[in-house]
Amino acid sequence: MAFWFVLCLSAVVSVQASAPSGPWDVFNYAPKSRTVYPTAVKEFHGSVANAKGLLSKGSATLWSKHSWMTLDFGFEVGGLVSLNFDSVSSGSSIALSFTESPMFISPLTSDDSSYPSANMSYDGVLQVPAPLSTGFWTQPSAMLRGGYRYLTIVSTSDEPVTISNVSCAISFAPHVQNLRDYSGYFFTSDPAFHDKDFLTKLWYAGAYTVQTNTVPLHTGRAVPFVQSPGWLNNATLGVAGPIIVDGAKRDRAVWPGDMGIAVPTQFVSTNDLLPTRNALSTMFAAIDPLTGALPESGPPLSQQGSDTYHAWTLIGTHNYYLYSGDDAWLQTVWANYTKAVGFLEGKVDSSGLMNVTGLRDWARLGGGGHNSEGNALLYQVLVTATDLATHMNASDLASAWNTNATALKKRYNQVFWLPSAGMYRDNDTTTLCPQDANSMAVLFNLTISPEQASSVSEGLTRNWNDLGPVAPELPDTISPFISGLELQAHFASGNDQRAMDLLHREWGYMLYTNLSVQSTLLEGFTANGSLSYRSYRGYNYDPSYTSHAHGWSSGPTSALTYYVLGLTVTSPQGRTWSVAPHTSGLSAAEGGFTTPLGWFGVKWSSQKRTFTVNIDVPQGTSGSVKLPFKGRVVVDGKATQLAEDTMLRLNGGKHAVMLFG
């Protein structure tokens, strides 16, 4: 563990500032130390003496074969287990099993991470065979377990064994000494939910989820997969570390689609963008030099054949540059970036739409041909590429990409808009209206009027049940990845209460269900809330394989900052910014984030027809403030006439704005 920390510390490219302290800190799930200990005994069976002694620097004894106890760390952890063997006999032996969900606690097997198996026992246990030596023992590093909450210790012999000092050395975010030292925060009270602190807890759960997905370079899941029973997490994940992956337990690989949600979370919470740079560099390093095709995933999976995840790498490039302003890095990838944009543009045929031939995606069915999701992503690629080309002074490219984006938007609406549904259809031969493309169309501004965006927002609710949207393009599935895009689409279209309703349904279930870890966020679940996510779509009916710490499920973290708080950067590092709070039935909210320019903070309150917002942004920046209603405006104690109905222009610094309706 110390080696990982030293190795990665030398690669840190910027000093992270700390967010202000306050009552929100109690909701930060990150541990106070990089060594964590169990907080409870979940259960024990057979001849077990003093299991609770392990919670208070005491010891516990397993007296006979098949006796076992399960320790609860209280939240998602990941890393290497250590313990002391205090007393052993010549034949004493034990085994360890791990699980995120309490549903899969077992002395015989861990939850699955290597490969999904219908018998839910592919991974098996970590055997610690005889002869044991008294003293300190540490889990072999190759057998690292990236995500779990429950650790089961079972005797595998008839001879007793006494153990103490059970702990986990946290392996994730290896370059960060204080895991709780965030550079951003968010705080509000939700009067419409059973837990008034829900939104604050959710913001921090998303942030912590992405922290658990930030891993050392040589801790990827082994591919080819190890034979059952077993697991290995010793594969190299890219060109440099630390690196951001999809999940703590699995797949432990770079997936650019997941980064479309996880990286904005990372920015607003920790601003720890080095793992993102390393992930993007890994994808560009693997470009096909002839065609410009990018892989779907990073090594060791290195899967190919996904036009949509190719697009997400390009969109992620813009996200990283917007947040970091890393000109030097952009220069190094620019040739490959432009070649990769050209790869997608080369798939636009005489219809004026991209013909999607790389079919791998987030697991949705369909997706090929003139598909609305793929073309929505291409549109976002062209819009963000235009912006990057402008920063690179590549005016010819900027002009060409802007022209192509304009033409694609027009054609998109001609082909995919289905007036009878008030939504976009999946392709040019169907009436199915998918969750992903409709969410993207609103979020990426493919709609041509506010009324059209609101129509899509309303139409998306037809997929909802009590736990969230059931994706038409992947039946019986609630995908927090795509729902994170839908959440932003409701906010972006001005349907704030609809967004809050979605938060309460889907993430209210995920954060509080006793099927999960109640600290990080589930990869997905079925329409009735079971863990059998994607059972028929690649996961072989193995609910234990589902990840409980998946960064693509953290969409609310950035959405709460960008929309409810209302704070976004509109040019690299926040040289320009926007404050546009969506009050969403709340009486107050506060928070902010850090960029290389400094602290960006907002605190607002709303009472009847009075709205107050305090803004603290770096000197030398400028931005706009969109107020929630029309009225008399006072800025820094002076009455102010607005240039537009509800829009105010301000320079950097500290400002107090009051609005009276």
Side-chain angles (χ1 to χ4, degrees):
M1 184 64 230
F3 170 73
W4 284 332
F5 181 76
V6 172
L7 179 67
C8 297
L9 191 62
S10 63
V12 176
V13 294
S14 63
V15 176
Q16 302 300 316
S18 301
S21 297
W24 44 86
D25 291 330
V26 70
F27 303 112
N28 189 329
Y29 292 97
K32 295 179 180 179
S33 168
R34 295 198 65 94
T35 301
V36 293
Y37 299 86
T39 60
V41 176
K42 178 68 173 176
E43 56 186 286
F44 60 90
H45 300 267
S47 299
V48 181
N50 197 35
K52 289 188 176 180
L54 295 177
L55 310 180
S56 57
K57 299 184 179 181
S59 62
T61 300
L62 300 168
W63 284 101
S64 60
K65 192 173 185 178
H66 306 312
S67 297
W68 58 278
M69 56 188 164
T70 297
L71 305 177
D72 179 4
F73 283 83
F75 59 98
E76 179 86 354
V77 299
L80 299 177
V81 170
S82 295
L83 54 83
N84 275 43
F85 288 114
D86 295 344
S87 176
V88 298
S89 300
S90 60
S92 298
S93 61
I94 66 169
L96 307 180
S97 70
F98 304 80
T99 179
E100 293 180 306
S101 169
M103 294 286 291
F104 308 113
I105 291 172
S106 169
L108 303 177
T109 188
S110 303
D111 59 5
D112 284 335
S113 66
S114 285
Y115 191 78
S117 175
N119 64 13
M120 298 185 293
S121 60
Y122 190 98
D123 280 26
V125 299
L126 173 58
Q127 298 284 355
V128 188
L132 302 178
S133 300
T134 57
F136 189 69
W137 175 90
T138 298
Q139 181 178 2
S141 60
M143 298 292 289
L144 174 146
R145 199 73 184 182
Y148 63 94
R149 176 172 168 173
Y150 301 97
L151 168 66
T152 296
I153 305 173
V154 55
S155 171
T156 54
S157 82
D158 288 322
E159 299 190 30
V161 57
T162 300
I163 61 174
S164 64
N165 195 32
V166 178
S167 67
C168 171
I170 296 293
S171 62
F172 52 78
H175 56 308
V176 178
Q177 188 165 16
N178 181 358
L179 293 168
R180 295 176 60 84
D181 188 16
Y182 286 9
S183 59
Y185 81 97
F186 177 83
F187 185 63
T188 193
S189 181
D190 185 351
F193 198 66
H194 64 78
D195 181 353
K196 67 180 179 63
D197 296 314
F198 163 58
L199 296 176
T200 305
K201 289 179 179 177
L202 179 57
W203 191 94
Y204 281 97
Y208 183 53
T209 298
V210 173
Q211 277 189 297
T212 69
N213 296 175
T214 302
V215 304
L217 180 62
H218 303 297
T219 62
R221 180 178 61 174
V223 178
F225 308 123
V226 300
Q227 289 187 339
S228 178
W231 70 86
L232 285 175
N233 285 313
N234 61 354
T236 299
L237 289 163
V239 299
I243 195 164
I244 186 169
V245 297
D246 61 328
K249 180 181 75 170
R250 53 135 286 268
D251 295 329
R252 295 184 71 83
V254 174
W255 288 90
D258 305 47
M259 290 170 63
I261 292 288
V263 173
T265 296
Q266 187 183 62
F267 167 61
V268 301
S269 58
T270 64
N271 194 33
D272 180 21
L273 298 176
L274 175 62
T276 292
R277 188 181 73 178
N278 290 336
L280 291 169
S281 295
T282 295
M283 302 308 289
F284 282 117
I287 193 171
D288 186 314
L290 297 178
T291 66
L294 294 166
E296 181 193 24
S297 61
L301 281 172
S302 300
Q303 292 181 168
Q304 308 292 321
S306 173
D307 291 344
T308 55
Y309 272 51
H310 178 116
W312 277 116
T313 293
L314 300 175
I315 294 167
T317 301
H318 182 266
N319 281 341
Y320 172 71
Y321 182 71
L322 177 65
Y323 302 150
S324 70
D326 191 345
D327 291 294
W329 177 84
L330 185 59
Q331 289 279 358
T332 67
V333 302
W334 186 246
N336 282 345
Y337 175 88
T338 57
K339 192 175 186 67
V341 175
F343 172 82
L344 290 184
E345 287 199 295
K347 296 197 173 196
V348 176
D349 60 23
S350 59
S351 70
L353 298 168
M354 178 171 67
N355 180 28
V356 178
T357 57
L359 302 183
R360 295 188 62 87
D361 204 345
W362 61 270
R364 72 174 342 265
L365 301 172
H370 298 138
N371 170 262
S372 56
E373 181 220 8
N375 277 276
L377 286 165
L378 174 59
Y379 178 76
Q380 183 69 354
V381 166
L382 292 171
V383 169
T384 54
T386 299
D387 187 53
L388 287 179
T390 301
H391 289 290
M392 291 291 292
N393 295 316
S395 56
D396 289 347
L397 279 176
S399 176
W401 286 336
N402 182 63
T403 297
N404 292 345
T406 301
L408 178 58
K409 181 173 181 175
K410 180 178 179 180
R411 193 69 182 127
Y412 192 95
N413 280 279
Q414 289 172 342
V415 173
F416 297 126
W417 183 250
L418 194 63
S420 60
M423 300 180 76
Y424 293 97
R425 57 182 179 162
D426 197 33
N427 56 57
D428 54 4
T429 62
T430 187
T431 58
L432 184 144
C433 297
Q435 181 191 9
D436 55 10
N438 279 278
S439 301
M440 292 175 186
V442 175
L443 184 58
F444 298 160
N445 196 32
L446 273 157
T447 51
I448 55 178
S449 70
E451 292 76 20
Q452 188 184 30
S454 285
S455 174
V456 172
S457 171
E458 181 180 5
L460 284 165
T461 65
R462 294 197 287 269
N463 301 324
W464 289 12
N465 69 14
D466 289 344
L467 302 180
V470 181
E473 63 271 37
L474 192 62
D476 193 35
T477 301
I478 294 178
S479 167
F481 172 41
I482 304 305
S483 294
L485 301 173
E486 178 177 335
L487 173 68
Q488 295 174 75
H490 293 309
F491 277 127
S493 62
N495 293 286
D496 301 343
Q497 289 304 317
R498 194 169 288 151
M500 297 296 287
D501 191 356
L502 178 54
L503 284 168
H504 293 157
R505 290 173 190 249
E506 186 165 348
W507 283 273
Y509 174 71
M510 278 195 285
L511 189 58
Y512 296 90
T513 177
N514 58 10
L515 299 181
S516 193
V517 293
Q518 299 175 335
S519 52
T520 53
L521 299 172
L522 263 170
E523 176 185 11
F525 48 99
T526 64
N528 69 0
S530 86
L531 299 179
S532 297
Y533 169 74
R534 283 188 57 186
S535 275
Y536 66 91
R537 184 65 169 160
Y539 284 10
N540 299 336
Y541 298 90
D542 182 356
S544 79
Y545 189 69
T546 299
S547 165
H548 292 252
H550 234 63
W552 79 356
S553 300
S554 67
T557 300
S558 63
L560 289 168
T561 296
Y562 291 165
Y563 294 102
V564 173
L565 189 61
L567 179 63
T568 58
V569 296
T570 57
S571 64
Q573 300 182 347
R575 289 191 286 270
T576 59
W577 42 266
S578 171
V579 174
H582 293 235
T583 54
S584 307
L586 307 175
S587 61
E590 64 176 288
F593 49 71
T594 304
T595 83
L597 297 181
W599 172 251
F600 291 73
V602 167
K603 181 177 182 179
W604 62 257
S605 63
S606 181
Q607 296 180 348
K608 295 182 179 179
R609 295 297 292 176
T610 301
F611 179 81
T612 302
V613 58
N614 291 283
I615 300 167
D616 182 3
V617 292
Q619 295 283 353
T621 66
S622 62
S624 62
V625 181
K626 189 178 189 305
L627 299 172
F629 53 85
K630 296 179 183 179
R632 182 168 60 89
V633 178
V634 176
V635 179
D636 300 330
K638 297 180 181 180
T640 301
Q641 188 69 35
L642 300 188
E644 303 171 41
D645 282 346
T646 59
M647 189 70 73
L648 179 68
R649 307 288 176 180
L650 292 174
N651 290 321
K654 295 183 178 181
H655 300 282
V657 180
M658 299 188 69
L659 172 65
F660 304 94

